Structures are given as C-alpha cells and as structure tokens.
Amino acid sequence: MEKIKLGIKEREGKTPNQLRREAQIPATVYGAGEQSKSVQIDEREFSRLPAAAFSHVIELDLGSGKPASVLIRQVQRQPTTSKVLNVEFYKVRLDQELTITVPLKFIGVAEAVTVKGGQLTHAHDEVEIECLPNDIPDFIEVDLSSLKEIEDAIHFADLKISPKIKILNPLDDVVAKATEIREIIEEVPVAVEGEAVEGEVAAEGAAAPAAGAPAAGEQSVAAPAAKGKETPAAKGKDKEK
C-alpha cells in the first residue's frame, strides 16, 4: 500500500476558533517519548484523506526535516455538522509493535443460509490486533463459505491472517454463525366466562356506575374528615339518646 502523506504546519499564535474560521484545524502530535507539539492542518487537505488513513500509519510532513510516522488517535467533530474541530496524532516507532482495531470484511456465500434456509448473524464487525505499524492490514477477511450447516460458526481462531499479525480477541469468540429461523406465534387472548372482551358492549341490564363513582381501573380516594367537626349522622344519633 502506498504511504499516506499529510502536510502540517506549526501552530500559529491564534486561538482554536480563529484557526477554524480560517479553514485550519488545530491538532496535536505526541508520543514516542517526545513532548507534544501543537500544529495545524488545512481543512480541505484533511478531508481528502482516504478511509484507510484512520487505521494506518501516516507520514506527517512539517516541511523541514524527517517526516513523522503517526496514527490518527482521535478526531473531535461538531455533533450537528460533523465539522472537524480537533485532531490528535500519535507518533509511533516503526520497529515497535502496537495495538489497533481493524474492520472485518465478510466474503463468500454461506450454504447454511442460501441452501438450508438458515439466517446469518454477525457477532463482531471489528478485530483487535497487534503488529508492527507497517504491517497493519486494511481489513481481515471472514470467509462465510465455511458455514455449511445450521449452527455452524466461525471463531476468531478460524480467521486466516498473516504470521506478522496477532489477534487479541478471545480466539473462541464467535464472529459469525448460521442459525435456524424461528417463527414467532402470536397468542390470541381467550375471554374468561363472565369477563367482557375488550371492544364488546356491556351486557344489557348491567348496572351502570353510580354518578361520581370511579371508573373501572381507577382508585377511589376518600376525602379526609375535618378535625373537630361532627357528621350529620353523628348528630342524629346523639338526639335519639
């Protein structure tokens, strides 16, 4: 793969917002035992980077001296517009292994799905690997043609990779699997004798709720009696005595 290059400049004495208004992206370069350096990138040039630039080594060119080999560690974007606000570059040593996540690419046809009528499920879309910076692949393939029967599965241990790459995910974890399609049977509610089915009119002659009585399903809350006051019924009982 051809090396990806990106030109950068040392940060001018302006605020980050001033740089953004001038179509410049504030950025930071750090790592490899060196002090972090504040730089800036042309917004248009950064937008032209290929997708592979976000998982491969990039050569940063400051215009003088030896280019720095870096990985894009973080990209901060404006939530509503996706405008790039800040970029962090991590400087790497080409002779030192690093840990990185790359996508899985699913290829081939699963007979368990096309012939046996199963369904395919993906448990992972990425894989974490360890390798030297220049050995980072664009992706790792998952060959679905090995799924011949229902319940066949592909594990991380089954993936074919370069001997220069080590998979860090648990090797017994399932990546893809052919499963049986199960029909969901909806249960029809059965009315119990004496209960009205929803939507039916109440039987003729059924007593209607008294005025002021709570509707079905509602709770009746009694009003608290006032302190120190007698109810009319209580007064009548005293007179009889």
Side-chain angles (χ1 to χ4, degrees):
M1 179 179 175
E2 188 177 348
K3 289 185 177 180
I4 303 171
K5 298 181 179 181
L6 179 66
I8 59 174
K9 299 177 181 178
E10 289 192 10
R11 183 88 62 91
E12 298 176 6
K14 298 179 181 179
T15 66
N17 284 335
Q18 286 175 325
L19 291 174
R20 295 180 188 116
R21 284 194 290 268
E22 296 173 6
Q24 295 292 311
I25 303 172
T28 306
V29 182
Y30 65 96
E34 298 182 11
Q35 289 186 342
S36 62
K37 181 181 292 185
S38 296
V39 296
Q40 62 189 61
I41 322 160
D42 182 77
E43 191 177 71
R44 183 176 297 180
E45 187 173 353
F46 186 79
S47 67
R48 291 174 178 169
L49 286 176
F54 295 88
S55 59
H56 285 71
V57 174
I58 300 174
E59 283 192 356
L60 287 186
D61 186 6
L62 272 167
S64 61
K66 186 179 178 180
S69 298
V70 301
L71 288 171
I72 297 177
R73 182 64 77 185
Q74 185 175 12
V75 178
Q76 182 185 356
R77 296 180 183 271
Q78 213 282 336
T80 55
T81 64
S82 293
K83 178 183 174 68
V84 178
L85 302 177
N86 194 280
V87 181
E88 291 183 8
F89 296 102
Y90 180 72
K91 196 171 182 180
V92 298
R93 289 179 51 180
L94 298 181
D95 61 347
Q96 190 172 38
E97 290 186 332
L98 51 81
T99 299
I100 192 167
T101 300
V102 297
L104 294 171
K105 183 178 181 180
F106 295 87
I107 63 170
V109 177
E111 284 187 20
V113 176
T114 59
V115 178
K116 304 295 175 64
Q119 65 179 3
L120 181 67
T121 59
H122 294 174
H124 294 272
D125 294 315
E126 297 177 329
V127 56
E128 189 176 21
I129 62 172
E130 183 180 78
C131 63
L132 293 173
N134 286 333
D135 294 329
I136 300 172
D138 292 338
F139 51 80
I140 290 180
E141 292 184 345
V142 181
D143 189 358
L144 300 176
S145 62
S146 63
L147 301 177
K148 305 290 186 183
E149 304 291 338
I150 303 295
E151 298 303 320
D152 280 355
I154 300 173
H155 302 80
F156 280 110
D158 302 321
L159 302 182
K160 295 179 180 179
I161 58 173
S162 164
K164 298 178 180 179
I165 298 171
K166 179 183 178 181
I167 291 179
L168 299 181
N169 297 74
L171 297 181
D172 58 351
D173 272 10
V174 173
V175 176
K177 185 175 182 178
T179 58
E180 185 179 1
I181 298 177
R182 297 179 181 178
E183 296 183 1
I184 300 175
I185 302 175
E186 294 185 2
E187 294 185 1
V188 179
V190 179
V192 180
E193 187 177 352
E195 290 186 0
V197 179
E198 186 178 354
E200 291 186 0
V201 181
E204 187 176 349
E218 293 183 357
Q219 293 184 345
S220 175
V221 181
K227 286 185 178 180
K229 290 187 179 180
E230 295 180 340
T231 61
K235 286 183 178 180
K237 289 182 180 180
D238 289 343
K239 287 180 180 179
E240 290 176 4
K241 290 179 182 179

